[in-house]
mmCIF file of all heavy atoms in Angstrom:
data_model
loop_
_atom_site.group_PDB
_atom_site.id
_atom_site.type_symbol
_atom_site.label_atom_id
_atom_site.label_comp_id
_atom_site.label_asym_id
_atom_site.label_seq_id
_atom_site.Cartn_x
_atom_site.Cartn_y
_atom_site.Cartn_z
ATOM 1 N N LEU X 1 -73.671 -104.176 -130.136
ATOM 2 C CA LEU X 1 -73.170 -104.805 -128.927
ATOM 3 C C LEU X 1 -71.741 -104.317 -128.728
ATOM 4 O O LEU X 1 -70.939 -104.353 -129.658
ATOM 5 C CB LEU X 1 -73.204 -106.329 -129.081
ATOM 6 C CG LEU X 1 -72.690 -107.172 -127.940
ATOM 7 C CD1 LEU X 1 -73.612 -107.060 -126.736
ATOM 8 C CD2 LEU X 1 -72.590 -108.622 -128.376
ATOM 9 N N ALA X 2 -71.439 -103.841 -127.534
ATOM 10 C CA ALA X 2 -70.084 -103.400 -127.220
ATOM 11 C C ALA X 2 -69.513 -104.319 -126.146
ATOM 12 O O ALA X 2 -70.191 -104.647 -125.184
ATOM 13 C CB ALA X 2 -70.089 -101.954 -126.726
ATOM 14 N N LEU X 3 -68.279 -104.745 -126.356
ATOM 15 C CA LEU X 3 -67.606 -105.551 -125.341
ATOM 16 C C LEU X 3 -66.115 -105.322 -125.422
ATOM 17 O O LEU X 3 -65.611 -104.802 -126.408
ATOM 18 C CB LEU X 3 -67.968 -107.026 -125.443
ATOM 19 C CG LEU X 3 -67.488 -107.835 -126.624
ATOM 20 C CD1 LEU X 3 -67.443 -109.301 -126.225
ATOM 21 C CD2 LEU X 3 -68.438 -107.701 -127.781
ATOM 22 N N ASP X 4 -65.430 -105.697 -124.362
ATOM 23 C CA ASP X 4 -63.981 -105.510 -124.288
ATOM 24 C C ASP X 4 -63.273 -106.686 -124.928
ATOM 25 O O ASP X 4 -63.830 -107.779 -125.056
ATOM 26 C CB ASP X 4 -63.533 -105.398 -122.829
ATOM 27 C CG ASP X 4 -64.072 -104.153 -122.138
ATOM 28 O OD1 ASP X 4 -64.422 -103.184 -122.839
ATOM 29 O OD2 ASP X 4 -64.152 -104.160 -120.899
ATOM 30 N N VAL X 5 -62.018 -106.466 -125.290
ATOM 31 C CA VAL X 5 -61.174 -107.549 -125.779
ATOM 32 C C VAL X 5 -61.104 -108.623 -124.697
ATOM 33 O O VAL X 5 -60.995 -108.315 -123.511
ATOM 34 C CB VAL X 5 -59.764 -107.025 -126.116
ATOM 35 C CG1 VAL X 5 -58.810 -108.163 -126.461
ATOM 36 C CG2 VAL X 5 -59.826 -106.022 -127.260
ATOM 37 N N ASP X 6 -61.207 -109.867 -125.079
ATOM 38 C CA ASP X 6 -61.154 -111.032 -124.190
ATOM 39 C C ASP X 6 -62.342 -111.111 -123.240
ATOM 40 O O ASP X 6 -62.296 -111.815 -122.244
ATOM 41 C CB ASP X 6 -59.850 -111.078 -123.381
ATOM 42 C CG ASP X 6 -58.635 -111.241 -124.271
ATOM 43 O OD1 ASP X 6 -58.758 -111.867 -125.344
ATOM 44 O OD2 ASP X 6 -57.558 -110.747 -123.910
ATOM 45 N N ASP X 7 -63.421 -110.391 -123.542
ATOM 46 C CA ASP X 7 -64.639 -110.451 -122.749
ATOM 47 C C ASP X 7 -65.671 -111.257 -123.536
ATOM 48 O O ASP X 7 -65.541 -111.443 -124.739
ATOM 49 C CB ASP X 7 -65.154 -109.035 -122.483
ATOM 50 C CG ASP X 7 -66.255 -108.994 -121.429
ATOM 51 O OD1 ASP X 7 -66.454 -110.019 -120.736
ATOM 52 O OD2 ASP X 7 -66.907 -107.949 -121.308
ATOM 53 N N ALA X 8 -66.686 -111.729 -122.854
ATOM 54 C CA ALA X 8 -67.750 -112.492 -123.509
ATOM 55 C C ALA X 8 -69.096 -111.975 -123.037
ATOM 56 O O ALA X 8 -69.234 -111.534 -121.900
ATOM 57 C CB ALA X 8 -67.618 -113.979 -123.182
ATOM 58 N N LYS X 9 -70.068 -112.012 -123.931
ATOM 59 C CA LYS X 9 -71.438 -111.636 -123.576
ATOM 60 C C LYS X 9 -72.388 -112.683 -124.121
ATOM 61 O O LYS X 9 -72.150 -113.300 -125.148
ATOM 62 C CB LYS X 9 -71.791 -110.267 -124.147
ATOM 63 C CG LYS X 9 -71.090 -109.145 -123.426
ATOM 64 C CD LYS X 9 -71.774 -107.833 -123.607
ATOM 65 C CE LYS X 9 -71.040 -106.791 -122.765
ATOM 66 N NZ LYS X 9 -71.516 -105.465 -122.999
ATOM 67 N N LEU X 10 -73.479 -112.849 -123.398
ATOM 68 C CA LEU X 10 -74.518 -113.799 -123.751
ATOM 69 C C LEU X 10 -75.710 -113.018 -124.288
ATOM 70 O O LEU X 10 -76.178 -112.084 -123.647
ATOM 71 C CB LEU X 10 -74.915 -114.584 -122.498
ATOM 72 C CG LEU X 10 -75.706 -115.848 -122.659
ATOM 73 C CD1 LEU X 10 -74.953 -116.869 -123.486
ATOM 74 C CD2 LEU X 10 -76.007 -116.416 -121.289
ATOM 75 N N VAL X 11 -76.194 -113.398 -125.468
ATOM 76 C CA VAL X 11 -77.334 -112.734 -126.096
ATOM 77 C C VAL X 11 -78.438 -113.768 -126.261
ATOM 78 O O VAL X 11 -78.236 -114.793 -126.922
ATOM 79 C CB VAL X 11 -76.952 -112.151 -127.477
ATOM 80 C CG1 VAL X 11 -78.154 -111.504 -128.144
ATOM 81 C CG2 VAL X 11 -75.805 -111.168 -127.347
ATOM 82 N N LYS X 12 -79.594 -113.526 -125.639
ATOM 83 C CA LYS X 12 -80.718 -114.441 -125.757
ATOM 84 C C LYS X 12 -81.454 -114.160 -127.063
ATOM 85 O O LYS X 12 -81.728 -113.010 -127.397
ATOM 86 C CB LYS X 12 -81.674 -114.291 -124.576
ATOM 87 C CG LYS X 12 -82.748 -115.344 -124.571
ATOM 88 C CD LYS X 12 -83.531 -115.342 -123.289
ATOM 89 C CE LYS X 12 -84.556 -116.472 -123.367
ATOM 90 N NZ LYS X 12 -85.414 -116.486 -122.215
ATOM 91 N N LEU X 13 -81.757 -115.209 -127.799
ATOM 92 C CA LEU X 13 -82.426 -115.087 -129.092
ATOM 93 C C LEU X 13 -83.864 -115.563 -128.993
ATOM 94 O O LEU X 13 -84.166 -116.493 -128.249
ATOM 95 C CB LEU X 13 -81.677 -115.906 -130.143
ATOM 96 C CG LEU X 13 -80.215 -115.512 -130.346
ATOM 97 C CD1 LEU X 13 -79.501 -116.555 -131.185
ATOM 98 C CD2 LEU X 13 -80.114 -114.138 -130.977
ATOM 99 N N ALA X 14 -84.740 -114.945 -129.758
ATOM 100 C CA ALA X 14 -86.154 -115.319 -129.771
ATOM 101 C C ALA X 14 -86.378 -116.354 -130.871
ATOM 102 O O ALA X 14 -86.986 -116.088 -131.895
ATOM 103 C CB ALA X 14 -87.027 -114.089 -129.997
ATOM 104 N N GLY X 15 -85.849 -117.523 -130.673
ATOM 105 C CA GLY X 15 -85.963 -118.600 -131.644
ATOM 106 C C GLY X 15 -84.757 -119.504 -131.519
ATOM 107 O O GLY X 15 -83.807 -119.212 -130.790
ATOM 108 N N GLU X 16 -84.790 -120.610 -132.262
ATOM 109 C CA GLU X 16 -83.682 -121.561 -132.211
ATOM 110 C C GLU X 16 -82.720 -121.290 -133.358
ATOM 111 O O GLU X 16 -83.062 -121.461 -134.520
ATOM 112 C CB GLU X 16 -84.204 -122.991 -132.290
ATOM 113 C CG GLU X 16 -83.143 -124.008 -131.981
ATOM 114 C CD GLU X 16 -83.715 -125.416 -131.877
ATOM 115 O OE1 GLU X 16 -84.933 -125.565 -131.769
ATOM 116 O OE2 GLU X 16 -82.900 -126.342 -131.920
ATOM 117 N N PRO X 17 -81.507 -120.845 -133.048
ATOM 118 C CA PRO X 17 -80.553 -120.497 -134.103
ATOM 119 C C PRO X 17 -79.966 -121.726 -134.781
ATOM 120 O O PRO X 17 -79.824 -122.781 -134.174
ATOM 121 C CB PRO X 17 -79.478 -119.717 -133.359
ATOM 122 C CG PRO X 17 -79.565 -120.187 -131.957
ATOM 123 C CD PRO X 17 -80.985 -120.571 -131.720
ATOM 124 N N SER X 18 -79.641 -121.555 -136.048
ATOM 125 C CA SER X 18 -79.020 -122.615 -136.827
ATOM 126 C C SER X 18 -77.668 -122.181 -137.377
ATOM 127 O O SER X 18 -76.723 -122.942 -137.370
ATOM 128 C CB SER X 18 -79.938 -123.005 -137.981
ATOM 129 O OG SER X 18 -79.270 -123.815 -138.910
ATOM 130 N N THR X 19 -77.596 -120.947 -137.851
ATOM 131 C CA THR X 19 -76.397 -120.456 -138.530
ATOM 132 C C THR X 19 -75.965 -119.125 -137.930
ATOM 133 O O THR X 19 -76.804 -118.263 -137.675
ATOM 134 C CB THR X 19 -76.691 -120.261 -140.033
ATOM 135 O OG1 THR X 19 -77.160 -121.486 -140.579
ATOM 136 C CG2 THR X 19 -75.454 -119.815 -140.784
ATOM 137 N N VAL X 20 -74.652 -118.982 -137.745
ATOM 138 C CA VAL X 20 -74.086 -117.718 -137.279
ATOM 139 C C VAL X 20 -73.058 -117.279 -138.311
ATOM 140 O O VAL X 20 -72.185 -118.057 -138.693
ATOM 141 C CB VAL X 20 -73.395 -117.863 -135.907
ATOM 142 C CG1 VAL X 20 -72.760 -116.554 -135.493
ATOM 143 C CG2 VAL X 20 -74.368 -118.334 -134.864
ATOM 144 N N VAL X 21 -73.175 -116.024 -138.746
ATOM 145 C CA VAL X 21 -72.224 -115.454 -139.687
ATOM 146 C C VAL X 21 -71.524 -114.285 -138.999
ATOM 147 O O VAL X 21 -72.186 -113.378 -138.497
ATOM 148 C CB VAL X 21 -72.938 -114.949 -140.965
ATOM 149 C CG1 VAL X 21 -71.943 -114.317 -141.927
ATOM 150 C CG2 VAL X 21 -73.705 -116.079 -141.633
ATOM 151 N N VAL X 22 -70.190 -114.338 -138.961
ATOM 152 C CA VAL X 22 -69.388 -113.244 -138.412
ATOM 153 C C VAL X 22 -68.627 -112.655 -139.590
ATOM 154 O O VAL X 22 -67.819 -113.344 -140.214
ATOM 155 C CB VAL X 22 -68.415 -113.747 -137.324
ATOM 156 C CG1 VAL X 22 -67.580 -112.604 -136.781
ATOM 157 C CG2 VAL X 22 -69.172 -114.447 -136.209
ATOM 158 N N SER X 23 -68.874 -111.375 -139.888
ATOM 159 C CA SER X 23 -68.281 -110.785 -141.086
ATOM 160 C C SER X 23 -66.763 -110.695 -141.013
ATOM 161 O O SER X 23 -66.093 -110.856 -142.021
ATOM 162 C CB SER X 23 -68.888 -109.414 -141.383
ATOM 163 O OG SER X 23 -68.556 -108.494 -140.362
ATOM 164 N N ASN X 24 -66.206 -110.436 -139.846
ATOM 165 C CA ASN X 24 -64.752 -110.405 -139.701
ATOM 166 C C ASN X 24 -64.366 -111.072 -138.385
ATOM 167 O O ASN X 24 -64.344 -110.431 -137.334
ATOM 168 C CB ASN X 24 -64.227 -108.974 -139.748
ATOM 169 C CG ASN X 24 -62.724 -108.939 -139.906
ATOM 170 O OD1 ASN X 24 -62.026 -109.887 -139.547
ATOM 171 N ND2 ASN X 24 -62.206 -107.853 -140.446
ATOM 172 N N PRO X 25 -64.051 -112.369 -138.432
ATOM 173 C CA PRO X 25 -63.727 -113.112 -137.210
ATOM 174 C C PRO X 25 -62.425 -112.692 -136.545
ATOM 175 O O PRO X 25 -62.087 -113.195 -135.496
ATOM 176 C CB PRO X 25 -63.667 -114.569 -137.676
ATOM 177 C CG PRO X 25 -63.571 -114.522 -139.150
ATOM 178 C CD PRO X 25 -64.084 -113.202 -139.613
ATOM 179 N N MET X 26 -61.714 -111.732 -137.123
ATOM 180 C CA MET X 26 -60.512 -111.216 -136.484
ATOM 181 C C MET X 26 -60.876 -110.392 -135.239
ATOM 182 O O MET X 26 -60.101 -110.302 -134.296
ATOM 183 C CB MET X 26 -59.749 -110.331 -137.470
ATOM 184 C CG MET X 26 -58.421 -109.857 -136.989
ATOM 185 S SD MET X 26 -57.517 -109.161 -138.370
ATOM 186 C CE MET X 26 -57.395 -107.480 -137.838
ATOM 187 N N PHE X 27 -62.086 -109.833 -135.215
ATOM 188 C CA PHE X 27 -62.485 -108.955 -134.118
ATOM 189 C C PHE X 27 -63.364 -109.646 -133.077
ATOM 190 O O PHE X 27 -63.306 -109.306 -131.911
ATOM 191 C CB PHE X 27 -63.204 -107.717 -134.656
ATOM 192 C CG PHE X 27 -62.341 -106.930 -135.598
ATOM 193 C CD1 PHE X 27 -62.705 -106.756 -136.908
ATOM 194 C CD2 PHE X 27 -61.134 -106.389 -135.172
ATOM 195 C CE1 PHE X 27 -61.906 -106.039 -137.781
ATOM 196 C CE2 PHE X 27 -60.322 -105.679 -136.039
ATOM 197 C CZ PHE X 27 -60.707 -105.506 -137.347
ATOM 198 N N ALA X 28 -64.211 -110.580 -133.498
ATOM 199 C CA ALA X 28 -65.099 -111.255 -132.545
ATOM 200 C C ALA X 28 -65.384 -112.661 -133.038
ATOM 201 O O ALA X 28 -65.262 -112.967 -134.225
ATOM 202 C CB ALA X 28 -66.404 -110.479 -132.386
ATOM 203 N N ASP X 29 -65.776 -113.496 -132.094
ATOM 204 C CA ASP X 29 -66.171 -114.869 -132.396
ATOM 205 C C ASP X 29 -67.538 -115.087 -131.771
ATOM 206 O O ASP X 29 -67.884 -114.429 -130.784
ATOM 207 C CB ASP X 29 -65.154 -115.849 -131.814
ATOM 208 C CG ASP X 29 -65.302 -117.244 -132.379
ATOM 209 O OD1 ASP X 29 -66.090 -117.433 -133.336
ATOM 210 O OD2 ASP X 29 -64.640 -118.164 -131.866
ATOM 211 N N ALA X 30 -68.315 -115.984 -132.341
ATOM 212 C CA ALA X 30 -69.651 -116.250 -131.815
ATOM 213 C C ALA X 30 -69.953 -117.734 -131.917
ATOM 214 O O ALA X 30 -69.528 -118.399 -132.857
ATOM 215 C CB ALA X 30 -70.694 -115.447 -132.586
ATOM 216 N N SER X 31 -70.678 -118.243 -130.922
ATOM 217 C CA SER X 31 -71.110 -119.637 -130.951
ATOM 218 C C SER X 31 -72.517 -119.730 -130.385
ATOM 219 O O SER X 31 -72.973 -118.864 -129.655
ATOM 220 C CB SER X 31 -70.144 -120.531 -130.171
ATOM 221 O OG SER X 31 -70.114 -120.148 -128.818
ATOM 222 N N ILE X 32 -73.189 -120.812 -130.749
ATOM 223 C CA ILE X 32 -74.573 -121.037 -130.341
ATOM 224 C C ILE X 32 -74.586 -122.003 -129.169
ATOM 225 O O ILE X 32 -73.903 -123.028 -129.178
ATOM 226 C CB ILE X 32 -75.383 -121.647 -131.506
ATOM 227 C CG1 ILE X 32 -75.425 -120.690 -132.690
ATOM 228 C CG2 ILE X 32 -76.780 -122.010 -131.058
ATOM 229 C CD1 ILE X 32 -75.976 -121.323 -133.953
ATOM 230 N N GLN X 33 -75.388 -121.680 -128.167
ATOM 231 C CA GLN X 33 -75.622 -122.565 -127.028
ATOM 232 C C GLN X 33 -77.120 -122.533 -126.761
ATOM 233 O O GLN X 33 -77.611 -121.617 -126.120
ATOM 234 C CB GLN X 33 -74.819 -122.085 -125.815
ATOM 235 C CG GLN X 33 -74.848 -123.013 -124.639
ATOM 236 C CD GLN X 33 -74.082 -124.293 -124.903
ATOM 237 O OE1 GLN X 33 -73.154 -124.337 -125.680
ATOM 238 N NE2 GLN X 33 -74.490 -125.353 -124.252
ATOM 239 N N GLY X 34 -77.854 -123.519 -127.272
ATOM 240 C CA GLY X 34 -79.310 -123.517 -127.134
ATOM 241 C C GLY X 34 -79.904 -122.360 -127.913
ATOM 242 O O GLY X 34 -79.617 -122.197 -129.091
ATOM 243 N N ASN X 35 -80.724 -121.539 -127.246
ATOM 244 C CA ASN X 35 -81.287 -120.362 -127.916
ATOM 245 C C ASN X 35 -80.508 -119.101 -127.541
ATOM 246 O O ASN X 35 -81.034 -117.997 -127.576
ATOM 247 C CB ASN X 35 -82.772 -120.200 -127.581
ATOM 248 C CG ASN X 35 -82.993 -119.814 -126.133
ATOM 249 O OD1 ASN X 35 -82.156 -120.079 -125.268
ATOM 250 N ND2 ASN X 35 -84.116 -119.188 -125.866
#
């Protein structure tokens, strides 16, 4: 996934997510909203 600094993208998942792991949160952040 490529995105710009201060940009956001929505990724649809095929299932209900429970856990998100970001290996280096200095570069990107992620949160769950439904699926």
Side-chain angles (χ1 to χ4, degrees):
L1 179 68
L3 69 156
D4 294 338
V5 173
D6 296 330
D7 192 13
K9 288 201 176 173
L10 195 60
V11 178
K12 188 170 182 184
L13 301 168
E16 191 172 345
S18 168
T19 304
V20 177
V21 178
V22 179
S23 66
N24 193 336
M26 186 167 116
F27 301 118
D29 195 8
S31 62
I32 298 169
Q33 187 69 28
N35 69 336

